């Protein structure tokens, strides 16, 4: 496939995956509806407990006030606990309730993928497995591009 075609197809193919998985995982029995942005905060804190709001914002590349709003909502539902850190910064930690919900999400996601991957041919599973490493490299390149500034693109001409 040529690069121009990849540019069009990669987002079309990849974008629905996370949404479809989230929808299936939440469905039966229903899990608490946690907006994806809040799930991202939970995942960061799962990987790196005791971060400040600013540190979480840096990891997610979001504005600190956006993350502060997300954290406030997570504290209200009992998924995140705040504790004093160094100076005036507050440190964030997942609660046991959040860990339980994350464990259920992870178990359901694994069961779902085990089932649907099992329906595919061995050749399809091998092709998907072979695609994982290049997709991770693509992710790394996208992160590098984002850190180095906005992508240079051609101006879009207005119709008229």
């Amino acid at each position: 496939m040529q690069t121009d075609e990849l540019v069009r197809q990669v987002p079309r193919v990849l974008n629905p995956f996370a949404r479809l998985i989230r929808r299936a995982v939440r469905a039966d029995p229903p899990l608490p509806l946690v907006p994806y942005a809040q799930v991202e905060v939970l995942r960061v804190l799962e990987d790196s407990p005791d971060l400040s709001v600013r540190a979480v914002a840096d990891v997610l590349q979001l504005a600190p006030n956006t993350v502060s709003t997300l954290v406030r909502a997570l504290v209200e539902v009992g998924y995140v606990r705040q504790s004093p850190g160094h100076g005036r910064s507050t440190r964030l930690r997942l609660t046991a309730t959040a860990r339980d919900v994350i464990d259920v999400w992870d178990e359901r996601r694994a069961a779902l993928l085990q089932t649907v991957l099992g329906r595919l041919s061995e050749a399809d599973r091998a092709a998907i497995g072979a695609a994982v490493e290049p997709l991770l490299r693509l992710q790394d390149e996208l992160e590098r591009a984002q850190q180095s500034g906005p992508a240079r693109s051609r101006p879009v001409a207005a119709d008229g």
Side-chain angles (χ1 to χ4, degrees), residues 79-90:
Y79 287 179
V80 172
R81 184 178 69 246
Q82 296 175 307
S83 60
H86 304 298
R88 290 186 293 175
S89 67
T90 300

Side-chain angles (χ1 to χ4, degrees), residues 40 57-63 137-152:
E40 287 185 307
D58 289 346
V59 170
L60 295 175
Q61 298 179 341
L62 295 172
R137 288 191 295 276
L138 176 61
Q139 179 182 336
D140 288 344
E141 290 301 323
L142 288 168
E143 288 173 353
R144 267 197 224 43
Q146 189 172 21
Q147 290 169 358
S148 67
R152 304 281 185 237

Side-chain angles (χ1 to χ4, degrees), residues 41 53-54 56-57 63-75 82 92:
V41 171
V53 167
R54 177 168 288 289
V56 173
N65 62 331
T66 300
V67 173
S68 181
T69 300
L70 295 170
V71 166
R72 197 171 19 257
L74 290 166
V75 168
Q82 296 175 307
L92 308 171

Side-chain angles (χ1 to χ4, degrees), residues 1-130:
M1 191 177 291
Q2 297 295 321
T3 301
D4 287 348
E5 184 63 14
L6 280 171
V7 166
R8 284 188 292 282
Q9 291 299 325
V10 167
R12 288 181 185 161
V13 170
L14 295 181
N15 286 344
F17 278 96
R19 184 180 64 252
L20 288 167
I21 291 169
R22 280 193 311 273
R23 200 177 293 155
V25 164
R26 287 179 177 154
D28 187 34
L31 283 173
L33 186 60
V34 178
Y36 187 65
Q38 291 178 7
V39 171
E40 287 185 307
V41 171
L42 294 175
R43 290 294 185 186
V44 168
L45 293 174
E46 178 184 33
D47 293 341
S48 303
D50 292 325
L51 292 179
S52 66
V53 167
R54 177 168 288 289
V56 173
D58 289 346
V59 170
L60 295 175
Q61 298 179 341
L62 295 172
N65 62 331
T66 300
V67 173
S68 181
T69 300
L70 295 170
V71 166
R72 197 171 19 257
L74 290 166
V75 168
E76 287 175 14
V77 296
Y79 287 179
V80 172
R81 184 178 69 246
Q82 296 175 307
S83 60
H86 304 298
R88 290 186 293 175
S89 67
T90 300
R91 298 297 170 187
L92 308 171
R93 227 174 226 278
L94 296 181
T95 63
T97 302
R99 289 185 191 287
D100 291 345
V101 170
I102 288 171
D103 288 346
V104 171
W105 287 336
D106 289 346
E107 289 166 11
R108 288 185 184 182
R109 183 178 56 227
L112 170 67
L113 289 172
Q114 183 74 31
T115 299
V116 297
L117 286 169
R119 294 178 189 156
L120 299 178
S121 70
E122 181 61 38
D124 283 347
R125 286 192 303 274
I128 292 167

